[in-house]
Amino acid sequence: MTTPPCRRPHRFSVSLPMVLCLLLVSTRLGAAAPATIPGASTSAGLAAQIDALIDQPRFAAASWGIAVVSLDSGRTLYTRHADQLLQPASTAKLFTAAVSLSTLGPDYRIPTRLLASDRIVNGRLNGSLILYGMGDPTLGTADNAGWADQLASQAAARGLRFVHGDLIADDSYFTGPTFGAGWEAGDLQSWFAVPSSALSVQENIVNVTVSPGAAAGRPAQLELAPPADGMPVVVSQLVTSAVRTPNDINLYRAPGEDSLHAFGSIAADAPVQHFKLAMVDPALVAGMQLRQALKRHGIHLTGKLRTLHWPQGDAALLAHADSVGEVLSPPLKDILQRGLKRSQNLYLQNLLLSVGAHEPVTAMAGFSNSESRGIEALRQLLTQIGIPPSASLIGEGTGLSRRNLATPNALVRLLVYLAAQPYADMLREALPIAGVDGTLLGHMRGTAAENNVHAKTGSMAYVHGLAGYVTTAAGERLAFAIMLNNYQRADDAPSVGSEADAIAVLLASYRGRD
């Protein structure tokens, strides 16, 4: 991705470099636009311009892969290693977008249900109340902040006043691990690699604030929000250092552990420092928020709050359950837009798992889980499109995995297919727009690409990509994929994002139609 998530392989702590990573969006806003080069008037001239850019000595050890195809004529304008498998990073989200739109449809809304395990008689439920998640990634966000009160209100309207049983937060609708295939263990505490859960809340992110103590030598203050069980257990050795000393804040949670260790120092005169980490148990946090809402709506719960996670089964629990409330996500097209604009990994992984949960279990031989069934649905779609299996080796929904491989031609064929679907305009507008919004907000301003290029960014260490649509100066609509792998940028070299931006500007400036 062109902007966060930023990835630092084999790094487990959060310190000043990670803070800089979190601030990358704002620093990019002031980035200079690519130098303006007169648009080529022939495809040969365009090829010469692109060749001159990517054949520079600084790319001698790197791998470029590029494909550019006209949506109007079908002709290929440019290729460079277009059938070479490369790491796509977050341009892989285009594959997830395609399979979710194809399988679920742009208007599909993901339900979250409140179920009663028995009948409600005279306002009493002698049994469990079940919060049943089905993958909505927007619970607790700005547009869906009141989800818990909506469910509690509906239950109260059904006459429920007393629950003589437990409240069960059930996220077992998604089967399989809560992390994508190939995600690195060192990323799993990070805000960009939060657990994928059928009961996700507040994007499964913990907000951490660190502030100095009253004087040098005193313990620093560390707070988590939302404050609830299911958050990491904090073991803090953070201290307050003398004024005007550098901050050295480190946060570490071992893979598979709940405890968050904080160590280092913060200067006595430092402003409050903010960090984002992954929740430990989103379903538990969602259950706590619902329990509080039930109390606000006059529903008394005598039992305890507990969670149900895969591989625990819920068939017996749900066999006779009756719905007493339901909230729906925004339409899938809106979830996609939020996920693609921001390159939000939870949204896309949850959509892939939703596809897999929607697919019949018998579709694959042997054991399968939600992710593997979602990937199988993707493979079937790509075969229908005409993309061979060897050209797209995608194993999860976000692009975080370095096991993902795709060719530039596969990405372009996918974009050509998407441009021919009834939802083509919707998807195009869901992509970041150069100089306007999303991860391309600060890019290509003052060029022919501004408010023209609609493309998905992709970035991780040594990997950068850009894939989407552009209209040339002559009015020709193009689909393109630009992939750069194995590139270590020198300190005095242009930013990695500007390399792909420059090629996109050349496409936008192209004046030929030969």
Side-chain angles (χ1 to χ4, degrees), residues 440-462:
L440 288 178
L441 176 61
H443 292 242
M444 296 174 263
R445 287 181 172 172
T447 72
E450 183 177 0
N451 202 21
N452 178 356
V453 167
H454 294 61
K456 184 68 201 74
T457 55
S459 182
M460 58 176 67
Y462 315 122

Side-chain angles (χ1 to χ4, degrees), residues 367-381:
F367 173 77
S368 62
N369 58 34
S370 297
E371 184 180 65
S372 62
R373 290 197 296 274
I375 292 299
E376 180 59 25
L378 172 61
R379 288 172 182 157
Q380 293 176 8
L381 174 63

Side-chain angles (χ1 to χ4, degrees), residues 120-125 153-162 298-299:
I120 299 171
V121 179
N122 297 324
R124 297 175 182 268
L125 169 63
S153 175
Q154 292 174 45
R158 289 283 302 270
L160 182 62
R161 293 294 178 268
F162 298 96
I299 299 174

Side-chain angles (χ1 to χ4, degrees), residues 114 123 129 145-163 289-301 327:
L114 187 60
L129 199 59
W147 69 273
D149 281 296
Q150 291 177 46
L151 288 177
S153 175
Q154 292 174 45
R158 289 283 302 270
L160 182 62
R161 293 294 178 268
F162 298 96
V163 179
Q289 293 183 3
L290 177 62
R291 184 172 63 181
Q292 294 164 359
L294 292 171
K295 184 177 181 180
R296 287 194 294 271
H297 287 266
I299 299 174
H300 180 66
L301 179 74
V327 293

